[in-house]
Every structure is written in structure tokens, then in C-alpha cells.
Amino acid sequence: MAPVTATPDTRTRTAPLRVGDLLVELGVITNEQVEQALAFQRDKGHKKLLGEVLIELGFVTAEQVAEVLAKGYGVPFARICPIVVDAKIIEVLPREFLERNAVLPLFLVHEKLTVAVSEPSNVFLVEEIERITGKSVQIVSATATDIHTTLASLRPDANVFVIDEMIEDISESDLSVVETQITDLSNLEDASGESPVIKLANYLIYSAVQEGASDIHIEPDEGKMRVRYRVDGGLYEKMQPPYAMHAAVVSRIKIMAGLDISERRVPQDGAITIRVDKRQVDLRVSTCPGKFGEKVVMRVIDKTGAMLSLEKLGFAPKMLEDFRRLVHQPNGVVLVTGPTGSGKSTTLYAALAEINDISTNISTVEDPVEFNLPGINQFQTHEKAGFTFAGALRALLRQDPDVVMLGEIRDQETAKIATQAALTGHLVLSTLHTNDAVSAVTRLINVGVESYLIAASIRGVLAQRLLRKVCANCKEPFVPPTQTMRTLERMFPGYALPEKYYHGAGCGKCRNTGHAGRIGIYELYIPDDEGLDAISRDAPLQELRRMAAASGGYTNLRQDGIEKVAAGLTTVEELIKATAT
């Protein structure tokens, strides 16, 4: 969240807000209760504000009044506690001033001081803080009780939870924020003297990147908080920090991602860009409200790992040669299929890198743009603005492209425009969600593309999966269980199975999982003339599969996988799990 600056809203208002009217308007109290409070105020000769009287009478809580005032003055509302405060920042104002005015500095970001106040209408107080600190001030609304309680707990002799041992071996240049709407994340060594929440958030991001995690899961449960990393496609538990830190850690990540820390009822999406060990890493942040608090998932996009060449993806030599020939075609449709997380985007990026040169105009339409490709025009869809895949593709065709890459073919309109673009001399690369390569043909027919158009435009379809590799450090021969071998025999009837199998025994380098890294298994379908005739006459899927297998040179996912099992690159269990259906 980028906190709303209080100055414009409060200083341009011509009349004070009536808190009673706002509470009634939002349905918190009734007009009768407001009248009772006013009468009580007159009868008792109270000098208290109406909101304070309403609280005294038990009609509302202090949190409700603070939240209503926040909405009325256009600033965020926050529940303040010690773990959301950068303790060093409190020193920018005298403690006596803080206690007298019920204000609390929270953090300093790019010379902007964020301060919690109990009276967002007090513009003179904001001016006074700016004068004393010499900083630009932005405010959030909080209750006076929360502010005073937090101030008391942050006295100089108060105990603070620290996690210095987690970051003692990280140098000062290891982690820094490159660009984000609001953050003061600099490096982990400097963070050792800052809020424990900042240190924990830094550590979670840094260690995830170091361990090659693709996702960070921060999950609240009843009385506990769990952090898990997804590494090589599998989740494992990293730590269980104190549950009391959960809300603060979520708020910290929201601030870094430019999200609204005061909104906890609806999902939010944002992004953070950091630099770790001199390389740039993007984090896609997603929050979702749950029973015990907000769950946060951060997708880690390491830009250095994206630009793989086709040689490094694990293709067999003959399949690599055939796929290369496909992406060098002057026109047509080339598809990559597989489930979410099977590496389709990485394959497409590698293909674009293969054909990218100064004489070729390449454009992509993605949702979102995950990696920056030098020399390639990349566009991100915006559904709310009407910039859909179909609309973007239609616009790009007027931009004189040679090659167009679509992140995904999702609907009939996109599929038809892509097919027409291929027929008019463009090479179109895209993805589909199908179980195998041949099924992509029937998927396009089901979407609404005429079969004769598919036959005229399709050049080839690559299906793929990602399997975890055997850890090279603890790799050893082993004999698979009898049940596993029976499953394998059913999957490969009449096929000569490998004589030797390998697995990882488990070691420190692979976190005792036996796996380190992933490798692709592939199935490449390039229909010949007979296959194209069958497609144009709406031949059933089983017939297309039989024709592909009989055409020679066709290797399906299981066959490619068993060859990698025989080479000791992956395990038989991984192959069964990935290709059981």
C-alpha cells in the first residue's frame, strides 16, 4: 500500500466531519443513539468529543470510531502493536510530544515519515510533526489506546524479539530493493538493528532466493504461523515464527508490494523487485483473507534463471533438432502444452531467444509479463481496460510482426485470430492446457476453430512435464519396490524397461529429499500429410494418436521419461507421478 498522504485531504476540507453522521451512515449506530449521546453530553457538561461519549456509553468501540474517521478523511486505518513499528524511528520525535498528542511514528521510507494518529482531522498536528522532523508526513488512523499501549511497550528497556542469528552470515550487499512503491528495505546487515519484522521479512525473501524456491507461503493457523517454500515443485516447511508476528509480517510485505495494509477483507495482488547477490529478482505477491488471518504467497521470478537455451531444457538430440526446425518456420502455429507449472513459459522464452535477431520483429502478449526479453516487444494484458489477448493480438497484427507469442490461448476469439495470423504469414507461438500433444488439436476444435483451419496452420505441438532430478551428491543405485515395478510394467506393456535405477539417499545439499533441480520430459507432435488430412476431416483423438505413433520418430512423454530414468537423471516414482494419467 502507498499510504494516503494526510495533508491534501485534511487541509482542503472546509468543515469538520460529523462522526455521528458517519457512524449512522455506515449502519454502526442509529440516529436515536446519537441523540442520546448528545443529550448525555449536554446534561453532564462533558467537554469530551461526541465519539468519546459514544464509546463511554458503549454504543461503539474505539476501533469503530477510528476506522470511521479514517474513511471520512481518506486515510488508512491500522491496528497498532509493537511489532509493526520500527523502534529506531520513534526517536525522531520527543517521547513527551508523542504521549501528549497520541501519535506514533511507524517507519521512514524515502524521507517520508508514516505516523499513526488518533485524530486525523488535526492538520496543525501534522504541520508540527513536519516542522520538528523536517520530513514529509503521511498518516494512518489508529486508536489512542493502541498508540499509548505501543509507546509504553517500546520504552528503551523493553524486550524486543530479534533474529540476528538468522542473518549473521549475510553481507550488506546481498539483498536490496530495486524498485517498489514504498519500502525502506536496504540490506540485511543494516536491518540487524531494525524492527524484527523487517529482519524476518528480509530473511524469508533472501533465503528463498538462495534455496531456489519458486514460491513463499506465509500461512496463519489457529495459534501458529507457518512458512513454507516450494522448491523443485514440492513444498517443505521452512520455519514456524511466533504467531504474534503474523499480522505485522503481512503488513510489512504489503508495504513493500505497494498494497493497502488497512484492507484485510479482500484478496490483493502486488509486486516487489529486489536485487540479491547482484542479480534482479521479481516477487509477485498475492494475499487472501482466511479464517485465521491473511495468507500470503510470493512467486519468486529469478530473471537469471529464465533465459535458458533450448540445449539446457533436457531435449533428446533428435527432438531438439525437430523443435528447432519448428520455431524457425516462417509461419504457422506452434503450441506448447502441459499443466500449470510444467515449464511452458520457460520453453517459449528459450524458443524466442533462439530466433531473436535484429532482422526479426518479435512481439509477445502475456498475463503478466514475467521476464524482460531484450530486443523483443512485450505487452501485458489488462482485462478491465479491454486489452485482452484477442484485442492485443489484433492490434499487434497491425504492427508489422514476424513472430507473435501469446501467453495462452483461452477462448475462441483468440484462437481464431491466432490461426488467421498464421495463415497470413506470421509465426504464432502459444500455450494450451492439455494432457498430451495430440490433444491440442481437439482442444482447438472444442474452442471453436474449424478443423480445416487447424490443419492449414498447425506446424507442431510440444507437450511437457517437469520431473525432479536425482541429487548428484547423494545419487546411488536402488531397487524399486515390487508395486512400483508392477505399475511401470502396466505403463509400458512390451517395452524393455531399464536394468538399473537410481535415487538420492538424502544429504545436506538436497535437504535430505534426494532431489536437486528439475528436468523436462517432452512429447513432440508434428503431423505429416496424412495426419493433416485426418485433422481436416475431424478424425477422433485416438486415431490421431495412432497415426502419430505409426509415423515414425514420435516419442511420447512416458517414453522420453523412461529414457531419463534409465540415464539416472530422475526416479521411476517421479515418472509415474507425472504421467500416471
Side-chain angles (χ1 to χ4, degrees):
M1 179 200 75
V4 180
T5 302
T7 304
D9 291 321
T10 57
R11 296 178 189 178
T12 57
R13 191 174 296 280
T14 57
L17 291 169
R18 294 171 58 89
V19 67
D21 293 342
L22 285 171
L23 288 166
V24 171
E25 182 181 337
L26 294 173
V28 179
I29 59 175
T30 64
N31 281 313
E32 290 74 20
Q33 288 174 317
V34 172
E35 293 300 325
Q36 289 180 44
L38 290 171
F40 183 86
Q41 194 178 37
R42 288 192 301 269
D43 294 341
K44 299 294 183 179
H46 271 310
K47 294 182 180 179
K48 293 182 178 179
L49 298 172
L50 179 61
E52 295 174 316
V53 175
L54 288 168
I55 295 170
E56 183 177 338
L57 292 174
F59 293 157
V60 295
T61 64
E63 287 79 10
Q64 288 173 317
V65 172
E67 194 161 4
V68 163
L69 286 172
K71 289 180 179 178
Y73 283 94
V75 300
F77 169 72
R79 290 182 173 85
I80 304 301
C81 61
I83 55 178
V84 302
V85 182
D86 185 346
K88 291 196 305 183
I89 297 302
I90 293 181
E91 300 171 3
V92 301
L93 289 166
R95 182 167 287 267
E96 186 274 335
F97 178 90
L98 300 179
E99 292 173 348
R100 183 179 73 251
N101 295 285
V103 300
L104 178 65
L106 300 180
F107 39 79
L108 179 65
V109 179
H110 302 317
E111 296 304 302
K112 280 192 176 181
L113 180 66
T114 299
V115 180
V117 301
S118 59
E119 294 182 27
S121 61
N122 192 342
V123 296
F124 303 105
L125 178 61
V126 175
E127 291 176 343
E128 182 68 1
I129 296 173
E130 289 180 338
R131 186 189 64 78
I132 295 173
T133 63
K135 311 291 184 186
S136 173
V137 172
Q138 49 194 7
I139 65 172
V140 298
S141 177
T143 67
T145 300
D146 282 354
I147 290 173
H148 286 304
T149 301
T150 303
L151 270 172
S153 67
L154 291 173
R155 63 188 186 277
D157 58 340
N159 292 324
V160 179
F161 174 73
V162 296
I163 54 171
D164 291 326
E165 65 275 10
M166 292 182 177
I167 59 173
E168 60 186 5
D169 59 343
I170 301 174
S171 67
E172 70 176 37
S173 60
D174 282 335
L175 175 60
S176 63
V177 165
V178 175
E179 54 186 49
T180 180
Q181 292 184 24
I182 175 168
T183 182
D184 60 355
L185 184 59
S186 54
N187 57 63
L188 294 183
E189 186 171 307
D190 288 346
S192 63
E194 297 177 346
S195 162
V197 174
I198 295 175
K199 291 189 288 183
L200 179 57
N202 288 355
Y203 171 74
L204 294 179
I205 294 171
Y206 177 84
S207 61
V209 174
Q210 293 298 96
E211 295 182 28
S214 62
D215 300 89
I216 306 169
H217 292 245
I218 299 174
E219 304 166 318
D221 204 342
E222 188 172 10
K224 65 180 181 180
M225 169 186 174
R226 177 175 64 179
V227 177
R228 292 192 293 173
Y229 292 169
R230 186 178 295 278
V231 180
D232 296 335
L235 280 171
Y236 82 96
E237 186 172 291
K238 176 66 177 178
M239 64 168 60
Q240 287 194 17
Y243 177 72
M245 297 188 73
H246 172 260
V249 170
V250 171
S251 293
R252 171 63 182 169
I253 292 170
K254 282 184 172 183
I255 289 168
M256 294 168 66
L259 302 180
D260 185 351
I261 62 172
S262 66
E263 181 56 78
R264 297 176 296 277
R265 299 164 297 178
V266 297
Q268 296 187 67
D269 296 299
I272 307 168
T273 301
I274 63 173
R275 196 181 305 280
V276 177
D277 295 337
K278 298 183 179 179
R279 71 182 192 270
Q280 188 167 307
V281 177
D282 285 343
L283 303 173
R284 297 291 162 80
V285 180
S286 172
T287 69
C288 192
K291 183 178 180 181
F292 299 106
E294 290 179 283
K295 176 178 178 179
V296 176
V297 176
M298 289 184 278
R299 169 66 56 88
V300 182
I301 302 173
D302 190 342
K303 296 178 181 293
T304 59
M307 296 309 298
L308 294 175
S309 63
L310 290 176
E311 291 91 344
K312 295 181 180 179
L313 296 182
F315 284 106
K318 176 64 167 59
M319 193 177 296
L320 175 60
E321 180 184 341
D322 292 340
F323 186 67
R324 268 204 169 114
R325 189 170 64 252
L326 279 181
V327 299
H328 281 281
Q329 293 282 332
N331 56 61
V333 174
V334 177
L335 299 173
V336 180
T337 75
T340 300
S342 59
K344 300 187 297 296
S345 295
T346 300
T347 299
L348 285 178
Y349 284 130
L352 292 179
E354 173 84 12
I355 61 178
N356 185 23
D357 62 57
I358 195 65
S359 65
T360 305
N361 180 12
I362 303 176
S363 298
T364 74
V365 183
E366 305 171 62
D367 182 24
V369 174
E370 293 191 355
F371 304 100
N372 297 324
L373 301 175
I376 292 177
N377 306 292
Q378 295 176 269
F379 304 91
Q380 182 164 315
T381 60
H382 195 302
E383 295 285 342
K384 292 182 179 179
F387 193 59
T388 62
F389 275 108
L393 178 55
R394 191 181 294 109
L396 285 183
L397 292 178
R398 297 191 289 270
Q399 296 275 316
D400 185 33
D402 298 302
V403 179
V404 175
M405 190 271 273
L406 293 174
E408 183 181 352
I409 293 179
R410 297 178 177 177
D411 51 46
Q412 180 183 24
E413 185 181 11
T414 306
K416 286 195 170 184
I417 298 174
T419 303
Q420 292 165 2
L423 293 174
T424 54
H426 306 88
L427 178 64
V428 179
L429 308 178
S430 190
T431 69
L432 279 177
H433 291 282
T434 62
N435 288 330
D436 62 6
V438 183
S439 297
V441 173
T442 56
R443 175 62 57 83
L444 289 175
I445 293 174
N446 293 337
V447 165
V449 181
E450 291 82 355
S451 55
Y452 71 89
L453 291 177
I454 298 173
S457 60
I458 198 78
R459 296 293 178 265
V461 184
L462 179 76
Q464 66 180 70
R465 300 288 189 278
L466 288 177
L467 275 58
R468 291 185 295 175
K469 294 171 65 176
V470 175
C471 175
N473 190 60
C474 58
K475 178 180 176 180
E476 64 179 19
F478 92 116
V479 178
T482 303
Q483 186 60 42
T484 299
M485 290 305 300
R486 288 176 180 170
T487 301
L488 203 60
E489 290 166 358
R490 288 195 297 269
M491 292 172 60
F492 295 91
Y495 194 89
L497 295 175
E499 296 182 1
K500 291 185 178 180
Y501 299 88
Y502 298 86
H503 77 162
C507 65
K509 290 188 176 180
C510 63
R511 304 177 310 282
N512 293 313
T513 64
H515 301 282
R518 289 190 288 180
I519 191 170
I521 59 172
Y522 303 95
E523 169 182 316
L524 184 59
Y525 172 52
I526 303 177
D528 55 16
D529 291 341
E530 291 184 4
L532 293 174
D533 288 340
I535 292 172
S536 64
R537 60 179 169 81
D538 283 338
L541 179 60
Q542 290 303 324
E543 181 179 346
L544 295 178
R545 284 175 175 160
R546 284 195 299 269
M547 294 180 70
S551 65
Y554 172 77
T555 301
N556 63 33
L557 285 167
R558 287 180 176 176
Q559 291 168 343
D560 190 45
I562 198 67
E563 291 176 6
K564 290 181 169 73
V565 169
L569 297 173
T570 188
T571 65
V572 63
E573 289 84 1
E574 281 291 296
L575 176 61
I576 292 172
K577 182 172 68 175
T579 63
T581 56

